[in-house]
Structure formats: structure tokens, C-alpha cells
Amino acid sequence: MDPETTLSALREFCAERLGAELAARFVALARPGFALTAAGPGEAAGHSRFGGRALLEPGTLWPAFEGFPLSLLAILDNDVLAPWLGDLLPAGTGLLNFFYLDSDSEQCDPAAFRLAAKCFGNEPQVGRVIAARSAHAVEVTPPARSSTFAPVSWAASPGFAFPDPWDRAYDTLELGPEADDMARLMPGMHIEDRLTEWSHRPGALGSEDVAFGWPEFPTGSSLWMPDGEDPNLYHHLLQLSSRNEWHIGGDGGWMHWSTPTEALRAGDFSRAIPTPDIW
């Protein structure tokens, strides 16, 4: 289905369980996104993948934190994904390369571990997102001491994501006069309890690796934001679940990247930061 048809079916699904008015307000929180899964023959979403080598424009410097090279973790091909995202991205955004300081995998350099321990891993600069125009991007050999993970091409199934029950986005949701004090205290949990058969909703994203949409928090946490910034001003870019090759992002081992929504719409990824569930 196309985005509008899927959203219409989603509203009907939620209206049956929440009532038309609350369902309309709730579905307004939905964000387009993609379930990322290992691609079979002919299923790859362009250059989208976990691991492998970076795809950068010539002359682009490999990102580093305090002189230590970051490691490429993933690439999203927005030339393929953009049609489902509406006006979220400007035309020609191309490829997004996601970097992070690898201090946990079996192949990480001991110096990276010491550097991460020194800064407690909570510096925004330990992660970076670098865009590259597809027509100009070339595969780049990673520098010494940077980890290289086995590439896994991704298939991308479109749908709509909702905030995790613990997300502060629910602070903006008006439940209506019939809601009791407990529902107002935990609006996300209240909504989730009323949505029976939620996993079968139209546009469900059935994957732990997700592009755009909203992040999830297996530890019951929420976005860590630098300097106490409002997470509602940010938009989610990528969620990576725990893998055997590496373990970053807290107790759940899940990693996210987010960027200010205004910067995303302008095609500026220099302000994108890692936003794990728990440091």
C-alpha cells in the first residue's frame, strides 16, 4: 500500500480500539519508517546495509574522536527510501554513513576502549553521520585502528512507527476527559494497554533494526540528549539492535542516531548525534 492508504487503514484500526477522537490524536504521532532485514536476492534497498566500507564523496575526511578513527556501522540509501518519507528529506539526500567509536567489539583497538572509558561514552562526538551524493560516492578503505564489520545488505519494508511507551512524545498527547490519574501519569502505557492485536496493525514495522520512524528502548529508558535538550525537537534516523559482533548503547545493546528535525529537513546531518537507550 502507499503511505496515505496505509495511514487511513491505521486510523480505522486505532479508532476501533481507542475511539475516533483519541485515535486521530494518537495516529498523528506516527512517523514513516522502514523495517530493516537481511536482503535476499534482488531485495536490497539500494546501498543500504550494516557494516562494510563507507561510501563517501572524494575529499571527505574520515571522522574521528580526539584523533581516534570512528568505525562505520551502517549505510542508508535515501534515494530508495525517500518516496515513503514524504517531505521529510530534501531531494538528492543520497547516502547516509553512520559512524561510531567502537570500544566494545572483539576487534576494537584497546586505545578506543580507554578513550571511551575516559569520557564515559557520553560525548556526542563519539558518533557521526555523513551524507554523500550517490553519483559521487566511492568506497573508502577504513584507516588503521578502525573496525570493519562484515557487510549485510538490507531490505527495507515501509510502514509507520509510534513512540515507545516511555517516550516523552506522549507528554503532548491529550487523552481526553475520561482518562483517570494513572492514565495521565503513564499515557504511553495506557494507550498500549488499549490497543489489542497491536502487532497486526496496518503498516507495522516488524524488525528491531529500523530506519527513521521512532526509536525503541528495550531497557525501558528513553533518548539520552546532550545538555538536557528536548527530544521532541529531534527526529530518529537509525536503530541498530544488539549483534554478536558488537555491543554498544547500554544494557540492551541497542544503538540509535537522531538529529534535529529542522536540520533533517534542510539536509544538514552535521548535528546528528548518537542517542542510545542507556549509556
Side-chain angles (χ1 to χ4, degrees):
M1 290 191 290
D2 61 87
E4 286 304 318
T5 302
T6 303
L7 265 180
S8 179
L10 188 56
R11 290 189 192 98
E12 292 182 10
F13 177 94
C14 293
E16 292 175 357
R17 294 156 176 80
L18 301 175
E21 293 185 5
L22 179 55
R25 295 194 295 272
F26 174 63
V27 174
L29 294 176
R31 288 179 175 177
F34 299 86
L36 303 173
T37 55
E43 294 179 342
H47 296 288
S48 300
R49 57 174 161 79
F50 170 80
R53 295 185 175 185
L55 291 170
L56 302 172
E57 295 189 29
T60 302
L61 295 178
W62 190 278
F65 175 64
E66 294 193 6
F68 194 92
L70 305 183
S71 299
L72 179 85
L73 289 186
I75 295 175
L76 291 181
D77 190 336
N78 294 298
D79 291 338
V80 176
L81 306 182
W84 186 263
L85 299 175
D87 62 354
L88 185 62
L89 292 172
T93 300
L95 310 171
L96 295 183
N97 294 263
F98 292 82
F99 295 89
Y100 194 76
L101 176 67
D102 174 26
S103 59
D104 293 282
S105 79
E106 292 182 357
Q107 60 175 303
C108 80
D109 190 294
F113 180 83
R114 292 193 294 270
L115 182 59
K118 175 183 174 183
C119 68
F120 300 105
N122 60 357
E123 296 288 341
Q125 294 81 8
V126 299
R128 203 77 51 81
V129 177
I130 299 180
R133 293 169 294 176
S134 300
H136 300 268
V138 295
E139 194 171 84
V140 178
T141 301
R145 302 196 295 172
S146 175
S147 302
T148 303
F149 300 101
V152 178
S153 294
W154 274 326
S157 302
F160 287 88
F162 285 85
D164 185 272
W166 304 102
D167 200 294
R168 284 177 53 187
Y170 284 106
D171 294 345
T172 66
L173 182 64
E174 175 55 53
L175 295 178
E178 69 279 2
D180 58 25
D181 291 342
M182 183 59 69
R184 296 185 189 284
L185 181 64
M186 305 179 67
M189 295 299 296
H190 172 70
I191 292 290
E192 186 176 76
D193 289 343
R194 293 179 59 181
L195 289 170
T196 58
E197 300 180 310
W198 184 234
S199 61
H200 300 294
R201 68 191 181 279
L205 299 178
S207 173
E208 293 181 341
D209 294 334
V210 175
F212 299 99
W214 289 89
E216 295 182 51
F217 309 102
T219 56
S221 181
S222 60
L223 286 180
W224 176 90
M225 304 304 296
D227 302 321
E229 289 188 76
D230 184 355
N232 289 319
L233 299 179
Y234 278 68
H235 199 98
H236 183 242
L237 297 175
L238 178 66
Q239 171 178 296
L240 294 179
S241 59
S242 179
R243 294 173 181 269
N244 293 331
E245 293 179 272
W246 53 270
H247 185 90
I248 56 178
D251 293 343
W254 288 27
M255 190 65 210
H256 311 97
W257 283 263
S258 298
T259 193
T261 303
E262 62 172 335
L264 176 62
R265 294 186 182 280
D268 175 14
F269 295 93
S270 64
R271 296 166 62 190
I273 57 173
T275 50
D277 57 349
I278 296 178
W279 284 105

